[in-house]
Amino acid sequence: MKGLKTLLLLLTLLSFNLHNAQEETDTTEELSLDKGTIDSQFDYIYKKSGNYRADGKRYEVVRIISLDKLRKNVMDTLNMTYKKEAELKATISGHEATISSLNQKLEETTNNLTSVSEEKDSMSFLGMLVSKTTYNFILWSIIGSLLLLFLLFVYKFRRSNTLTQEAKTALAEVEAEYEDHRRRALEREQKISRQLQDEINKYKKSK
């Protein structure tokens, strides 16, 4: 009975050791310097390295070819990282240029919209843009001034016409008085002439 238990215990330990050895072998087989991350490649170096002790210190022994391969892989990874960084910087610069261009276009569009709004709310007067309120004030001021000038012209015209009519009437009256005076003067002159002629005739008869 004890022998059976001992046999089972040995079989269990053997199975466990074989399982661990298999896992270690699989892990080692998965690790490689030709693939995987840099971290996994360092793990590969650690797994494949030997060690020894000297002067109470432990040393790891690594093959030169493995170190060269690892160094090359590290440099390739760094170069790829630098390349991606440069590409990302170029992409970022391109995006920044695009954003700057879009901001400039947005500013131009905003300025154009503001200008259109101002033109919509303004009127051109003598080559200058003025607000509609100012334009209407100027326009109605001009119209009011012209209307006042027209009314003043009509008033002066009517007054001038009235004065002209009055002057014509006065002239007609003066002419009538002059004609009447001339007629009376002519009548007096004729009367005096007749009287003078009668006196002359009387004088001749008296001789």
Side-chain angles (χ1 to χ4, degrees), residues 11 23-24 41 60 81 90 108 146 154 161 183 204:
L11 289 175
E23 286 185 351
E24 185 176 351
Q41 292 179 20
E60 296 290 334
T81 302
E108 291 177 356
L146 292 176
V154 170
N161 190 33
R183 181 178 57 77
K204 286 181 178 181

Side-chain angles (χ1 to χ4, degrees), residues 84-126:
K84 287 184 178 179
E85 182 182 2
E87 291 176 353
L88 288 174
K89 286 183 178 179
T91 302
I92 292 172
S93 298
H95 289 336
E96 288 178 349
T98 302
I99 292 172
S100 178
S101 177
L102 290 175
N103 287 333
Q104 184 177 0
K105 289 182 179 179
L106 178 61
E107 184 177 359
E108 291 177 356
T109 303
T110 303
N111 292 334
N112 291 334
L113 181 60
T114 302
S115 177
V116 169
S117 298
E118 290 178 354
E119 290 180 358
K120 182 180 178 182
D121 296 333
S122 304
M123 302 290 290
S124 179
F125 181 75
L126 298 178

Side-chain angles (χ1 to χ4, degrees), residues 125-183:
F125 181 75
L126 298 178
M128 298 182 297
L129 284 178
V130 295
S131 64
K132 286 186 177 180
T133 303
T134 305
Y135 178 82
N136 290 332
F137 174 76
I138 295 174
L139 180 63
W140 285 109
S141 297
I142 293 174
I143 292 174
S145 299
L146 292 176
L147 182 61
L148 288 176
L149 289 175
F150 175 74
L151 293 176
L152 181 62
F153 173 77
V154 170
Y155 169 75
K156 287 189 175 183
F157 175 78
R158 288 185 176 179
R159 184 179 180 186
S160 176
N161 190 33
T162 301
L163 292 176
T164 301
Q165 293 297 329
E166 291 177 354
K168 286 182 178 180
T169 302
L171 179 61
E173 291 177 354
V174 170
E175 288 179 349
E177 290 179 359
Y178 174 75
E179 287 295 329
D180 184 61
H181 176 73
R182 189 173 67 82
R183 181 178 57 77

